[in-house]
Amino acid sequence: MSAAATQPRRSRVIDDKSLSLEHHRSLWQDAARRFRRNWLAVGGLFVVVVFLILAVIGPHIAPYDFLEQNIVNAFQGPSAAHFLGTDDLGRDVFSRMLHGARTAALVAFLSTTISLAIGILVGAWSGIHGGRMDELLMWISDLIQAMPGLLLVILINTTLRRPIINWFDTLYEQTKNPFYLNTLWLDYVLVFSALALIAWPGLARLVRGQVLSINEEDYVLAARALGGSQWHIMLRHVIPNALGPLVVAVTASMGGAVTMEAGLSFLGIGVQPPNASWGSILEEGRRYWQIFPHLILIPAVTIGVIQVAFVFLGDGLNDALDPRRNS
Amino acid sequence: MASFLFIRLMRWSVGLLLILFVTYAMMFYGAGDPIRMMFIQGEDFDSEDEVVMLALRKKYGLDEPFLVQFSNYLNNLAQGDWGRSIRLQVDRPVLEIVQFRLPISMQLGFAATVIGAATGIALGIIASLYHNRWLDRLIVSTVLFINGIPTFVILPVLMLLLVLQLKVIDVPYGWNGLLHIDAVLPVTVISIGILPIVVRQTRSAMLEVKSQLYVRTARAKGMSESRIILRHMLRPVLTPVVTTLGLIMIGLINGSLFVEYILNIPGFGLLTIEGIKKVDYPIIMSVAVVGTLIIFVSNFLVDIVYPILDPRVRAQ
């Protein structure tokens, strides 16, 4: 065999980066590679990122104040002055949709953060200590998970409104800070606390399961034998291992919160008019749906696109972060 | 087995009591006094009249302390007295309202379950037979897509499409019986809500069963493919699908809330929203009772039916 024939084959083997140790990829790099290959998930990520950016900068780029009424201009179709037309009170729909993005993102972010905090605390405590308290906590979270979330949220939202109004009133009396008279904030507080109260059980179950399964691993036994405290094991081993499933759960929870917020506001129970939420814009547009269909098409398509984006993103993350799935 | 069911029953009963207690406490301490609200909102009375308010409170037993009120409520409930509506349909017995409203939602839910389950099982089986080919991918991503879109978006958009653009149906409004053309849209939309649950469960169960040895044996014997599916695969596939009954019920309740609200169908979902908006204690309590019972009974049914369907569970 000639030297020329063997030469290229050998160099190809050496050049193959996947085989050389220096180019060994980490678990997260692997996940990112798998994620990039799933174009539906990448599209979902793109939409979600655009949504979050618009939620942050939206009110600054909005051409009008979202509350500014101009009855003369009511029910205009899309035009140069009003990019998405105007509603029944002559308010600019584009500006209202931008404000709705802020409402949705804020509610989703805060409710997910709170439920994540409760979920991690309860789940970790249950998984580490076990016993009667663990049984009780898990029974309660089973109960909450078995119930229809929407019913619970409606109930919590209605019953919390009055006590929180009273609380804000007393705070205003004490501090004379006009912040406490702002009912726009009140709606947000109500909706995200109600959503957090129903969302934590799923996350708590997840964390508890991870704690229990990882506690069985030999390296945790080794860490314990070397004198590692429960907290050390928690921070060093359990949380890094649970990060993948938690990222997936948090994505799903944020998407769910956006739907729930829109749904509640649609039913007239969540964010109240004149404050803007995609749900309330849809509900207001519904009154004129036969004559001005664009008033419901705009919020409906927006909610639909965001939801589908969250679902595809969550699905892609789930596939990418589970190393057992694609190997 | 019996003791397992008994423990389950006890857990659910305690759960029911807990949920009723929490709901009542939230109403009592949070929602505010419905009698005062009658006056404040100026719908029923013009000015605040303390004497009338006291008399009304006494009439509905709202002047008692919380624990007395709650135990009175439980006592009455046990005797079949669900209280009287305070504001929604003034002084009408709640049981009567529930008896009128619940069957409408149940008909909608039943029709939606039949359609959703039949379509979902068929789609799940087809997807699994074409595993990882384009038909499977199409079904899976369509279901994922549908799963993302909430009911209150699907229904208005469908109405725009079918009523305004295609002019296939008239504007559906109210309730004219399940067989009326107006019931088509609500049933379709509610069944779309439960379709993804069924498809996903059927598909993954089918994929698991497909590789079983007895399926290979059946095929080796020369049995036709349709006979293998119907005789040997369907039963082990349907067993896990049955366990999603609790999820399906949640889907039905969520769906009927929005669908009834949008189309103004006087079912239980609309009653829920009306009762909550009017802070009508007995109505809200009846929603809690019925909603919790539906969920618990369906979960309990799964516990009973599962060992009957799956002999492996019975053996344990």
Side-chain angles (χ1 to χ4, degrees), chain B residues 137-212:
Chain B
R137 296 233 168 90
L138 180 73
I139 291 175
V140 168
S141 47
T142 311
V143 164
L144 207 58
F145 184 80
I146 289 176
N147 194 26
I149 303 179
T151 314
F152 56 90
V153 169
I154 294 183
L155 183 53
V157 171
L158 270 184
M159 275 167 76
L160 283 187
L161 186 73
L162 296 177
V163 181
L164 280 191
Q165 281 298 314
L166 302 176
K167 298 189 169 60
V168 193
I169 48 172
D170 285 335
V171 183
Y173 190 82
W175 178 250
N176 303 306
L178 190 60
L179 297 177
H180 193 273
I181 181 105
D182 280 0
V184 173
L185 200 56
V187 168
T188 315
V189 172
I190 300 178
S191 62
I192 286 177
I194 60 170
L195 190 69
I197 311 169
V198 181
V199 173
R200 224 175 293 152
Q201 192 76 328
T202 311
R203 179 174 170 274
S204 63
M206 270 297 280
L207 289 179
E208 207 172 290
V209 172
K210 246 172 86 173
S211 53
Q212 295 288 332

Side-chain angles (χ1 to χ4, degrees), chain A residues 40 135 139-140 142-143 145-152 154-163 258-260 262-264 266-269 279 282-283 286 289-291 293-294 296-297 299-301 303-304 307-308 311-312 315, chain B residues 11-12 14-16 18-19 23 26-27 29-33 37 40 141 144-145 147-150 152-153 156-157 159-160 163-164 171 246 250 253-254 257-258 261-263 272-273 276-277 279 284 287-288 291-292 295-296 299:
Chain A
L40 279 178
E135 266 174 40
W139 179 64
I140 291 175
D142 277 353
L143 213 56
Q145 278 191 301
M147 293 302 291
L150 189 66
L151 267 187
L152 287 181
I154 289 177
L155 194 67
I156 296 170
N157 209 14
T158 327
T159 51
L160 279 185
R161 183 171 290 274
R162 186 162 287 269
V258 172
T259 320
M260 276 277 193
L264 280 179
F266 180 80
L267 295 176
I269 293 166
L282 182 59
E283 167 65 3
R286 210 166 58 83
W289 69 278
Q290 300 211 39
I291 322 160
H294 72 277
I296 70 170
L297 262 183
V301 170
I303 298 173
Q307 282 316 311
V308 170
V311 167
F312 282 135
D315 193 57
Chain B
R11 281 188 131 199
W12 290 126
V14 177
L16 176 66
L18 183 74
I19 285 177
T23 311
M26 276 165 53
M27 293 284 111
Y29 291 107
D33 180 359
M37 285 178 83
I40 292 174
S141 47
L144 207 58
F145 184 80
N147 194 26
I149 303 179
F152 56 90
V153 169
V157 171
M159 275 167 76
L160 283 187
V163 181
L164 280 191
V171 183
I250 292 180
I253 291 176
N254 282 351
L257 270 174
F258 286 114
Y261 178 70
I262 296 173
L263 298 178
T272 307
I273 297 163
I276 290 223
K277 282 187 173 169
V279 199
I284 299 177
V287 169
T292 320
I295 295 300
F296 287 2
N299 278 305

Side-chain angles (χ1 to χ4, degrees), chain A:
Chain A
M1 211 176 267
S2 71
T6 50
Q7 205 57 31
R9 194 182 295 162
R10 188 178 297 157
S11 72
R12 202 188 303 145
V13 169
I14 292 169
D15 282 349
D16 195 343
K17 285 179 179 163
S18 62
L19 286 180
S20 92
L21 278 175
E22 290 111 281
H23 291 93
H24 181 74
R25 287 188 306 268
S26 78
L27 191 69
W28 290 95
Q29 282 168 324
D30 244 5
R33 237 171 72 104
R34 272 197 298 266
F35 186 81
R36 274 200 299 275
R37 248 186 262 147
N38 185 347
W39 61 269
L40 279 178
V42 173
L45 180 67
F46 176 74
V47 172
V48 169
V49 167
V50 168
F51 156 63
L52 291 178
I53 291 175
L54 283 182
V56 175
I57 65 163
H60 300 290
I61 60 166
Y64 299 89
D65 182 7
F66 76 99
L67 291 173
E68 188 187 305
Q69 301 183 5
N70 190 351
I71 300 288
V72 186
N73 284 337
F75 297 123
Q76 285 190 357
S79 64
H82 299 280
F83 175 47
L84 292 176
T86 57
D87 68 0
D88 54 335
L89 297 173
R91 293 174 296 195
D92 182 50
V93 174
F94 182 56
S95 308
R96 286 183 71 71
M97 289 301 292
L98 282 177
H99 193 84
R102 174 166 276 197
T103 305
L106 200 65
V107 166
F109 179 74
L110 287 175
S111 69
T112 307
T113 313
I114 298 176
S115 57
L116 188 65
I118 304 178
I120 288 183
L121 282 179
V122 169
W125 200 94
S126 273
I128 292 170
H129 296 281
R132 278 279 157 81
M133 196 62 192
D134 168 39
E135 266 174 40
L136 183 70
L137 284 171
M138 287 306 115
W139 179 64
I140 291 175
S141 57
D142 277 353
L143 213 56
I144 296 178
Q145 278 191 301
M147 293 302 291
L150 189 66
L151 267 187
L152 287 181
V153 170
I154 289 177
L155 194 67
I156 296 170
N157 209 14
T158 327
T159 51
L160 279 185
R161 183 171 290 274
R162 186 162 287 269
I164 294 188
I165 288 178
N166 289 341
W167 182 47
F168 269 41
D169 277 351
T170 43
L171 281 176
Y172 176 71
E173 290 300 319
Q174 284 163 6
T175 58
K176 296 290 174 200
N177 186 342
F179 171 79
Y180 295 115
L181 286 183
N182 191 344
T183 52
L184 300 190
W185 275 98
L186 187 83
D187 287 335
Y188 294 154
V189 173
L190 270 170
V191 177
F192 74 68
S193 40
L195 290 179
L197 279 175
I198 63 143
W200 67 266
L203 296 165
R205 276 235 162 253
L206 180 70
V207 173
R208 179 178 176 273
Q210 291 285 333
V211 170
L212 287 181
S213 73
I214 293 166
N215 259 343
E216 298 283 303
E217 300 283 343
D218 285 343
Y219 59 83
V220 171
L221 187 68
R224 198 169 290 134
L226 290 169
S229 71
Q230 189 58 254
W231 276 112
H232 168 82
I233 291 168
M234 207 43 220
L235 292 174
R236 273 299 288 170
H237 300 296
V238 176
I239 288 181
N241 271 302
L243 222 48
L246 268 182
V247 167
V248 175
V250 162
T251 314
S253 158
M254 283 195 62
V258 172
T259 320
M260 276 277 193
E261 184 272 316
L264 280 179
S265 308
F266 180 80
L267 295 176
I269 293 166
V271 174
Q272 303 287 320
N275 201 352
S277 147
W278 290 341
S280 61
I281 296 172
L282 182 59
E283 167 65 3
E284 284 159 21
R286 210 166 58 83
R287 273 175 250 157
Y288 313 99
W289 69 278
Q290 300 211 39
I291 322 160
F292 304 106
H294 72 277
L295 285 181
I296 70 170
L297 262 183
I298 292 164
V301 170
T302 312
I303 298 173
V305 167
I306 299 282
Q307 282 316 311
V308 170
F310 266 111
V311 167
F312 282 135
L313 173 63
D315 193 57
L317 284 175
N318 195 20
D319 286 347
L321 290 171
D322 188 354
R324 274 150 299 188
R325 185 173 285 223
N326 277 12
S327 58

